[in-house]
Amino acid sequence: MCGIAGFYNRSGSPVTEGREIISRMNALLSHRGPDDDGFWSSRDGSCFLGHKRLSIIDLSPRGRQPMGNEDGTVWISY
């Protein structure tokens, strides 16, 4: 199974250490997905997603997560 992490600052203000926080969260999930990891943060720095990937079915780079739509306005990790 893959591992999913994330957080959102409800005040809407940027979290300056957000990248470090999500990196540590992903590190704690390393047993869930040793094949790859990914990060995403909103432009305003208030929302962060992390993903640890266990590549079983889709081994291509197209399966990397978090993944966004064509114009980058919607991002998911599942």
Side-chain angles (χ1 to χ4, degrees):
M1 289 299 216
C2 297
I4 298 170
F7 67 92
Y8 173 69
N9 185 4
R10 293 189 305 168
S11 74
S13 60
V15 179
T16 56
E17 66 280 357
R19 181 68 177 200
E20 293 83 24
I21 293 170
I22 203 72
S23 292
R24 283 185 271 148
M25 292 169 80
N26 258 12
L28 292 171
L29 296 172
S30 62
H31 65 284
R32 300 292 307 239
D35 298 322
D36 194 16
D37 63 354
F39 304 97
W40 172 84
S41 64
S42 62
R43 289 185 185 152
D44 66 0
S46 65
C47 185
F48 293 81
L49 294 175
H51 187 89
K52 292 295 286 185
R53 182 175 178 200
L54 178 62
S55 300
I56 295 176
I57 296 179
D58 185 358
L59 306 177
S60 76
R62 293 182 329 151
R64 293 196 75 200
Q65 294 185 48
M67 62 175 58
N69 65 348
E70 297 81 10
D71 62 0
T73 57
V74 177
W75 285 81
I76 63 168
S77 185
Y78 61 97

